[in-house]
Amino acid sequence: MGLPQVLFFGTDLVSFGLSFLNFYALYFAISLSLNLEFGYTGIPNFGKVMFIAGGAAFAGSISGRLAAYVYGVGVHRDFIIFNTQIISDVNAKLTTDPAFAVGLTVLSLLVAAGVGALLGYLSSYPAIRLREDYLGMLLLGAAQFFQVILRTYEPLTGGAQNIAVPDPYVYWSSLGSGYRDLVAGLVASAFVIIIFLYAERVARAPLGRMLRAVRDNEDASRALGKDDAVVRRNILIISSAIAGMAGAIFTFYVASVEYDTWTRFAWTFWPFLIVIIGGAGNNIGVAVGTLFFTLAFKGLQQVQPYLQPYIFFDVNWLQDILFATLLIVILLLRPEGILRERSTPTLSRSKVSALVGALRGQDSGEEAEPESSSRLGRRGRRLWKLARRRQKSEAEGPP
């Protein structure tokens, strides 16, 4: 027994909702990693597809070989040539072994994170000291080079042949239609929530202010003793690890690794479009931008087949044209995005209120508020005393 169907104009809303959830969570995670690079640090990572595809390719390839070895399936056969049969036998084993499926998924995510981080380090090592435009062009070239490797190096993912990968959600498929996509959506949602909390913590920490300083003025940050090259390298490594894990989650969702999937338009242009729509340097804005983009993408998918009689070109190009036009319109009318970047408070509102209250109480000569005896209150009194000394010295004038 599967999930119930709710039909609306011939569309199953339950199936549509699950597809929407998986798409939104995946692109939200990728866009958050791009926001760390581009929005906060100013790294124009035009090679974003390389890190996503790298994590997906290695996670899919290693998980398939490892599962086949553990279950003793096709051990003496060529994994690429007999891939369909081997993975089919592995999935039959995973249907009755969900615990191993969970372990295989976790291990594959760690592998994908390591591969993404390694690619981030290798790509940053020779180019991180370049100016932003040259750095972006080098990352673009590196991504193209990696795509050629995926296309021609058959031992990894079969080259142009493509391969199937173990389906860690196959156990839930046996319970009925829809459960597999539901569990996959929950896994992707849990992943993106963790990434969002991490990105928000970075933005509100002193590290976030340092990233903005490197982005806004490299010379000033260097004058303050900050090593902008190290900062950019570390952010590129962390963001690439996140992108690699997102690629692995997508690979397990579609249960295959296909060379044609990894296009620059879908995995580099779309995340940039999402960040620009929502607002660079604003994680909440990225969430809003991802929601706007997902609604447009999924909505267009539903109506696109009916539009061919009304347009003069192939309807398959409509998506590309509309999104390119949307980018131009956003940059002309609202270049800061739906939610512009705002200063990020480093203290909670309650702590700021307590500090301000302590200062006002001292300034008016009233008795100290009860909270002024706290640690913040002591800080407030010290600040007030310093301010009064300065006012007094200025009023007395030079000796």
Side-chain angles (χ1 to χ4, degrees):
M1 181 178 178
L3 295 178
Q5 288 187 336
V6 180
L7 297 179
F8 182 75
F9 288 99
T11 301
D12 182 9
L13 295 182
V14 175
S15 177
F16 178 82
L18 293 177
S19 175
F20 187 96
L21 175 64
N22 280 281
F23 186 93
Y24 176 81
L26 178 67
Y27 270 93
F28 187 19
I30 295 173
S31 301
L32 282 174
S33 70
L34 180 64
N35 195 38
L36 279 176
E37 297 168 336
F38 176 67
Y40 285 106
T41 318
I43 301 174
N45 190 354
F46 296 143
K48 193 68 181 175
V49 62
M50 174 175 64
F51 310 103
I52 304 170
F58 278 89
S61 178
I62 292 177
S63 65
R65 287 179 166 88
L66 178 61
Y69 176 77
V70 171
Y71 287 130
V73 175
V75 176
H76 302 294
R77 291 183 175 182
D78 187 278
F79 181 77
I80 300 299
I81 297 176
F82 299 96
N83 173 260
T84 303
Q85 183 61 46
I86 293 174
I87 295 301
S88 177
D89 294 340
V90 167
N91 285 337
K93 299 284 187 182
L94 290 176
T95 305
T96 58
D97 194 359
F100 181 76
V102 173
L104 186 66
T105 304
V106 173
L107 179 62
S108 301
L109 288 177
L110 294 177
V111 170
V115 171
L118 179 62
L119 289 175
Y121 175 76
L122 294 177
S123 59
S124 68
Y125 187 72
I128 203 67
R129 295 186 184 278
L130 297 176
R131 285 170 39 193
E132 293 178 356
D133 45 0
Y134 290 100
L135 175 60
M137 293 302 294
L138 190 140
L139 290 172
L140 178 64
Q144 183 64 28
F145 177 72
F146 186 76
Q147 282 187 307
V148 172
I149 294 177
L150 280 183
R151 175 69 173 80
T152 57
Y153 187 65
E154 294 187 357
L156 180 59
T157 57
Q161 178 182 341
N162 305 324
I163 61 171
V165 302
D167 184 359
Y169 311 117
V170 68
Y171 169 78
W172 302 98
S173 299
S174 62
L175 302 181
S177 65
Y179 285 105
R180 179 189 181 277
D181 289 351
L182 176 61
V183 174
L186 293 177
V187 171
S189 300
F191 172 70
V192 76
I193 289 173
I194 294 173
I195 299 303
F196 177 78
L197 294 176
Y198 171 75
E200 276 291 288
R201 186 175 179 82
V202 169
R204 295 174 185 275
L207 175 61
R209 295 194 294 273
M210 184 169 64
L211 297 181
R212 295 188 186 92
V214 170
R215 177 197 63 186
D216 295 337
N217 195 323
E218 294 178 2
D219 295 332
S221 64
R222 289 173 188 168
L224 294 173
K226 307 300 180 184
D227 192 337
D228 59 305
V230 173
V231 171
R232 287 182 171 184
R233 183 199 63 195
N234 293 342
I235 285 297
L236 195 56
I237 291 174
I238 294 172
S239 301
S240 301
I242 296 172
M245 287 191 287
I249 290 175
F250 175 77
T251 289
F252 288 132
Y253 176 58
V254 299
S256 66
V257 178
E258 299 181 5
Y259 160 75
D260 295 337
T261 302
W262 311 111
T263 63
R264 286 192 297 274
F265 194 81
W267 302 101
T268 297
F269 176 72
W270 287 359
F272 265 100
L273 179 60
I274 289 170
V275 171
I276 292 173
I277 290 176
N282 189 328
N283 293 320
I284 303 295
V286 173
V288 175
T290 310
L291 180 62
F292 181 87
F293 177 81
T294 307
L295 286 172
F297 180 81
K298 291 296 182 181
L300 187 60
Q301 269 190 336
Q302 296 298 317
V303 302
Q304 188 169 314
Y306 306 102
L307 299 179
Q308 184 61 74
Y310 307 101
I311 56 179
F312 62 90
F313 53 83
D314 191 336
V315 73
N316 292 321
W317 296 105
L318 180 62
Q319 186 184 84
D320 298 358
I321 294 173
L322 286 181
F323 285 149
T325 305
L326 178 62
L327 176 61
I328 296 172
V329 171
I330 289 290
L331 290 177
L332 287 176
L333 301 181
R334 196 172 176 82
E336 68 274 15
I338 297 175
L339 297 178
R340 68 182 61 184
E341 181 180 4
R342 294 180 178 178
S343 58
T344 304
T346 55
L347 294 176
S348 64
R349 291 181 181 275
S350 60
K351 291 183 179 179
V352 173
S353 299
L355 185 59
V356 173
L359 284 170
R360 287 177 176 174
Q362 295 287 356
D363 194 23
S364 60
E366 299 175 352
E367 294 294 331
E369 299 290 337
E371 60 269 21
S372 64
S373 59
S374 63
R375 184 179 180 184
L376 287 174
R378 292 194 296 271
R379 291 183 178 179
R381 286 197 299 273
R382 285 199 293 269
L383 291 174
W384 178 80
K385 289 179 179 178
L386 289 174
R388 291 297 301 269
R389 288 176 185 172
R390 185 166 185 176
Q391 291 176 358
K392 187 176 180 180
S393 62
E394 290 177 354
E396 292 175 350

